[in-house]
Amino acid sequence: MKNKLTIEEKILNRAIKTPPRWLYSILMKVTAILNKLCNTHFTYNARPSEDPNPIVMIANHASRVDFQFTAPVCYPKMLNYVVGYNEFFRFPTNIFLPFMQVIPKKNFTPDAYTIRQVLRVAKAGGNICIMPEGMSSITGMAQPVIPGGGKLLKKLGRPVYYSKISGGYMTYTKHCLKKRKGRIEVTVDKMFTPEQLAAMTPEEIEETMNRLLAHDDYIW
Protein backbone atom coordinates (compact mmCIF):
# COMPACT_ATOMS: atom_id res chain seq x y z
CA MET A 1 0.00 0.00 0.00
CA LYS A 2 1.30 3.43 -0.93
CA ASN A 3 2.34 5.51 2.06
CA LYS A 4 0.34 8.68 2.63
CA LEU A 5 2.43 11.82 2.11
CA THR A 6 3.06 14.09 5.08
CA ILE A 7 2.14 17.78 4.88
CA GLU A 8 5.82 18.64 4.46
CA GLU A 9 6.21 16.14 1.61
CA LYS A 10 3.14 17.58 -0.13
CA ILE A 11 4.58 21.09 0.16
CA LEU A 12 8.01 20.12 -1.15
CA ASN A 13 6.54 18.12 -4.05
CA ARG A 14 4.75 21.19 -5.42
CA ALA A 15 6.01 23.08 -8.47
CA ILE A 16 4.76 26.65 -8.11
CA LYS A 17 2.87 28.18 -11.04
CA THR A 18 1.11 31.48 -11.75
CA PRO A 19 -1.94 32.11 -9.49
CA PRO A 20 -5.34 31.41 -11.11
CA ARG A 21 -6.47 34.71 -12.66
CA TRP A 22 -10.18 34.17 -12.04
CA LEU A 23 -9.66 33.82 -8.29
CA TYR A 24 -7.06 36.58 -8.17
CA SER A 25 -9.53 39.00 -9.77
CA ILE A 26 -12.15 38.12 -7.16
CA LEU A 27 -9.63 38.70 -4.38
CA MET A 28 -8.80 42.12 -5.82
CA LYS A 29 -12.46 43.10 -5.49
CA VAL A 30 -12.50 41.87 -1.90
CA THR A 31 -9.25 43.68 -1.17
CA ALA A 32 -10.67 46.94 -2.54
CA ILE A 33 -13.56 46.67 -0.08
CA LEU A 34 -11.21 45.88 2.82
CA ASN A 35 -8.99 48.86 1.99
CA LYS A 36 -12.02 51.13 1.92
CA LEU A 37 -13.19 49.83 5.29
CA CYS A 38 -9.67 50.27 6.71
CA ASN A 39 -9.40 53.86 5.47
CA THR A 40 -6.38 53.02 3.30
CA HIS A 41 -4.85 55.77 1.16
CA PHE A 42 -2.37 55.07 -1.66
CA THR A 43 0.24 57.52 -2.95
CA TYR A 44 2.06 56.59 -6.15
CA ASN A 45 5.55 57.85 -6.97
CA ALA A 46 5.81 54.96 -9.44
CA ARG A 47 3.29 52.42 -10.70
CA PRO A 48 4.45 48.79 -10.80
CA SER A 49 1.25 47.88 -12.66
CA GLU A 50 2.48 49.88 -15.67
CA ASP A 51 5.95 48.35 -15.89
CA PRO A 52 6.15 46.24 -19.06
CA ASN A 53 8.60 43.82 -17.39
CA PRO A 54 8.11 41.17 -14.70
CA ILE A 55 8.85 42.71 -11.30
CA VAL A 56 9.72 42.05 -7.68
CA MET A 57 7.45 43.74 -5.13
CA ILE A 58 8.59 44.22 -1.54
CA ALA A 59 7.24 46.03 1.53
CA ASN A 60 7.89 46.60 5.19
CA HIS A 61 6.11 43.75 6.99
CA ALA A 62 3.74 45.94 8.97
CA SER A 63 0.81 43.62 9.63
CA ARG A 64 -0.87 40.27 9.17
CA VAL A 65 -2.56 41.36 5.94
CA ASP A 66 0.12 43.13 3.91
CA PHE A 67 -1.29 41.58 0.72
CA GLN A 68 -3.91 44.35 0.99
CA PHE A 69 -1.19 46.94 0.46
CA THR A 70 0.93 45.17 -2.18
CA ALA A 71 -1.37 43.20 -4.50
CA PRO A 72 -3.69 46.08 -5.55
CA VAL A 73 -0.83 48.40 -6.53
CA CYS A 74 0.54 45.79 -8.95
CA TYR A 75 -2.71 44.51 -10.46
CA PRO A 76 -3.29 43.36 -13.21
CA LYS A 77 0.14 41.88 -12.55
CA MET A 78 -0.37 38.86 -10.32
CA LEU A 79 2.06 38.17 -7.49
CA ASN A 80 3.51 34.91 -6.23
CA TYR A 81 3.98 35.68 -2.53
CA VAL A 82 6.69 34.21 -0.35
CA VAL A 83 5.05 33.35 2.99
CA GLY A 84 6.12 31.73 6.24
CA TYR A 85 6.25 27.92 6.10
CA ASN A 86 4.18 27.61 9.28
CA GLU A 87 1.15 29.14 7.57
CA PHE A 88 0.84 25.97 5.47
CA PHE A 89 0.06 23.90 8.58
CA ARG A 90 -3.10 25.60 9.86
CA PHE A 91 -6.64 26.02 8.61
CA PRO A 92 -7.77 27.74 6.39
CA THR A 93 -4.41 29.02 5.06
CA ASN A 94 -3.26 25.43 4.48
CA ILE A 95 -5.91 25.22 1.72
CA PHE A 96 -5.89 28.76 0.39
CA LEU A 97 -2.13 29.41 0.11
CA PRO A 98 -1.27 26.36 -2.04
CA PHE A 99 -4.21 27.11 -4.33
CA MET A 100 -2.94 30.68 -4.79
CA GLN A 101 0.54 29.36 -5.66
CA VAL A 102 2.19 30.92 -2.60
CA ILE A 103 5.83 29.97 -2.04
CA PRO A 104 6.64 28.72 1.50
CA LYS A 105 9.76 29.90 3.33
CA LYS A 106 11.13 28.45 6.56
CA ASN A 107 11.96 31.23 8.99
CA PHE A 108 15.47 31.88 10.35
CA THR A 109 17.21 29.47 8.01
CA PRO A 110 18.29 29.27 4.36
CA ASP A 111 15.64 27.43 2.34
CA ALA A 112 16.80 25.89 -0.94
CA TYR A 113 13.23 24.93 -1.94
CA THR A 114 12.12 28.56 -1.67
CA ILE A 115 14.98 29.82 -3.82
CA ARG A 116 14.35 27.16 -6.46
CA GLN A 117 10.67 28.05 -6.68
CA VAL A 118 11.31 31.81 -6.77
CA LEU A 119 13.77 31.35 -9.62
CA ARG A 120 11.37 28.96 -11.36
CA VAL A 121 8.49 31.45 -11.23
CA ALA A 122 10.79 34.28 -12.34
CA LYS A 123 12.07 32.24 -15.30
CA ALA A 124 8.45 31.65 -16.36
CA GLY A 125 7.83 35.41 -16.32
CA GLY A 126 6.00 35.59 -13.00
CA ASN A 127 6.06 38.42 -10.46
CA ILE A 128 7.43 37.83 -6.97
CA CYS A 129 6.41 39.50 -3.70
CA ILE A 130 8.78 39.30 -0.72
CA MET A 131 8.60 40.79 2.77
CA PRO A 132 12.36 40.96 3.38
CA GLU A 133 12.04 41.30 7.17
CA GLY A 134 10.84 37.69 7.27
CA MET A 135 8.20 38.21 9.97
CA SER A 136 5.55 40.85 10.60
CA SER A 137 6.51 43.52 13.10
CA ILE A 138 5.88 42.88 16.81
CA THR A 139 6.70 46.45 17.88
CA GLY A 140 5.42 48.66 15.07
CA MET A 141 8.99 49.20 13.91
CA ALA A 142 10.46 47.76 10.72
CA GLN A 143 13.07 45.08 11.36
CA PRO A 144 16.33 44.69 9.40
CA VAL A 145 16.04 42.72 6.19
CA ILE A 146 17.23 39.12 6.32
CA PRO A 147 20.79 38.69 5.00
CA GLY A 148 20.75 37.19 1.52
CA GLY A 149 17.91 39.32 0.21
CA GLY A 150 20.32 41.55 -1.69
CA LYS A 151 21.94 38.55 -3.35
CA LEU A 152 18.53 37.22 -4.44
CA LEU A 153 17.42 40.54 -5.94
CA LYS A 154 20.73 40.83 -7.76
CA LYS A 155 20.32 37.34 -9.21
CA LEU A 156 16.75 38.04 -10.31
CA GLY A 157 17.93 41.21 -12.03
CA ARG A 158 14.50 42.74 -12.58
CA PRO A 159 12.80 46.02 -11.55
CA VAL A 160 12.08 46.19 -7.81
CA TYR A 161 9.18 48.23 -6.42
CA TYR A 162 8.08 48.71 -2.84
CA SER A 163 5.15 49.70 -0.67
CA LYS A 164 5.96 51.74 2.43
CA ILE A 165 3.11 50.94 4.83
CA SER A 166 2.23 53.34 7.65
CA GLY A 167 -0.54 52.47 10.09
CA GLY A 168 -0.77 48.81 9.14
CA TYR A 169 0.62 47.70 12.48
CA MET A 170 -1.80 49.89 14.43
CA THR A 171 -4.78 48.55 12.50
CA TYR A 172 -3.76 44.89 12.30
CA THR A 173 -1.29 44.53 15.17
CA LYS A 174 0.25 41.08 15.49
CA HIS A 175 -0.76 40.51 19.11
CA CYS A 176 -4.43 41.51 18.77
CA LEU A 177 -6.63 39.76 16.20
CA LYS A 178 -9.36 42.38 16.51
CA LYS A 179 -9.19 44.96 13.71
CA ARG A 180 -8.86 48.56 14.91
CA LYS A 181 -10.19 51.74 13.35
CA GLY A 182 -7.73 54.28 12.07
CA ARG A 183 -5.92 55.25 8.89
CA ILE A 184 -3.38 53.45 6.71
CA GLU A 185 -1.09 55.27 4.29
CA VAL A 186 0.75 53.35 1.58
CA THR A 187 3.44 55.02 -0.51
CA VAL A 188 4.45 53.12 -3.64
CA ASP A 189 7.78 53.75 -5.36
CA LYS A 190 10.53 52.12 -7.40
CA MET A 191 13.52 50.87 -5.43
CA PHE A 192 15.91 49.45 -8.04
CA THR A 193 16.30 49.20 -11.78
CA PRO A 194 18.03 46.10 -13.23
CA GLU A 195 21.02 48.32 -14.06
CA GLN A 196 21.31 49.54 -10.48
CA LEU A 197 21.16 45.98 -9.15
CA ALA A 198 23.92 44.92 -11.53
CA ALA A 199 26.17 47.77 -10.35
CA MET A 200 25.60 47.29 -6.59
CA THR A 201 26.94 44.72 -4.14
CA PRO A 202 24.44 42.59 -2.17
CA GLU A 203 25.42 44.53 0.95
CA GLU A 204 24.68 47.86 -0.75
CA ILE A 205 21.32 46.54 -1.92
CA GLU A 206 20.37 45.45 1.61
CA GLU A 207 21.52 48.77 3.05
CA THR A 208 19.23 50.58 0.60
CA MET A 209 16.35 48.25 1.45
CA ASN A 210 16.78 48.92 5.17
CA ARG A 211 16.90 52.67 4.58
CA LEU A 212 13.83 52.88 2.34
CA LEU A 213 11.72 50.44 4.37
CA ALA A 214 12.62 51.92 7.77
CA HIS A 215 9.45 52.83 9.68
CA ASP A 216 7.99 53.14 13.18
CA ASP A 217 4.21 53.27 13.48
CA TYR A 218 4.37 54.99 16.86
CA ILE A 219 6.52 57.83 15.54
CA TRP A 220 4.24 58.02 12.50
Side-chain angles (χ1 to χ4, degrees):
M1 186 174 68
K2 187 177 180 179
N3 292 332
K4 186 176 180 180
L5 295 177
T6 65
I7 296 177
E8 181 177 26
E9 288 171 336
K10 289 179 181 178
I11 293 173
L12 298 181
N13 283 338
R14 292 172 60 233
I16 308 298
K17 304 175 183 178
T18 303
R21 183 165 290 279
W22 67 270
L23 181 55
Y24 206 98
S25 63
I26 293 173
L27 290 176
M28 288 300 94
K29 291 180 173 62
V30 173
T31 300
I33 295 171
L34 293 175
N35 278 322
K36 186 173 182 180
L37 293 174
C38 294
N39 194 21
T40 305
H41 299 262
F42 293 91
T43 300
Y44 291 89
N45 296 324
R47 291 186 178 269
S49 60
E50 297 177 358
D51 196 309
N53 304 298
I55 65 166
V56 175
M57 185 68 188
I58 66 176
N60 56 310
H61 207 345
S63 72
R64 307 185 308 274
V65 294
D66 288 335
F67 64 87
Q68 281 186 218
F69 318 123
T70 49
V73 304
C74 298
Y75 193 69
K77 289 182 184 294
M78 299 189 298
L79 301 174
N80 286 88
Y81 283 82
V82 178
V83 172
Y85 178 78
N86 56 295
E87 298 294 340
F88 287 75
F89 287 82
R90 63 181 182 180
F91 183 82
T93 53
N94 63 333
I95 297 174
F96 180 73
L97 296 184
F99 195 65
M100 287 304 295
Q101 302 300 310
V102 171
I103 303 170
K105 167 68 174 70
K106 293 181 180 179
N107 287 327
F108 313 119
T109 183
D111 194 330
Y113 173 81
T114 303
I115 300 301
R116 287 198 306 271
Q117 295 305 317
V118 166
L119 296 178
R120 184 178 187 276
V121 170
K123 185 177 181 180
N127 305 284
I128 308 294
C129 185
I130 301 171
M131 307 295 171
E133 298 169 60
M135 294 184 66
S136 58
S137 176
I138 58 174
T139 63
M141 180 185 296
Q143 304 162 97
V145 303
I146 296 174
K151 186 176 181 180
L152 177 60
L153 293 184
K154 191 174 178 70
K155 185 173 182 62
L156 290 171
R158 54 174 57 186
V160 180
Y161 292 82
Y162 70 103
S163 286
K164 180 72 168 288
I165 305 165
S166 303
Y169 172 81
M170 291 294 189
T171 302
Y172 290 106
T173 181
K174 188 169 185 175
H175 45 75
C176 177
L177 297 181
K178 189 174 181 179
K179 185 176 73 67
R180 301 170 175 180
K181 293 183 178 181
R183 177 184 175 93
I184 300 172
E185 296 179 356
V186 182
T187 301
V188 184
D189 208 343
K190 195 169 191 174
M191 184 175 284
F192 301 111
T193 65
E195 293 74 21
Q196 288 172 325
L197 290 172
M200 299 170 72
T201 66
E203 293 74 21
E204 289 171 334
I205 293 171
E206 290 171 12
E207 181 180 342
T208 301
M209 293 166 71
N210 280 322
R211 174 171 55 82
L212 294 180
L213 297 177
H215 178 72
D216 188 320
D217 250 18
Y218 287 97
I219 294 176
W220 172 80

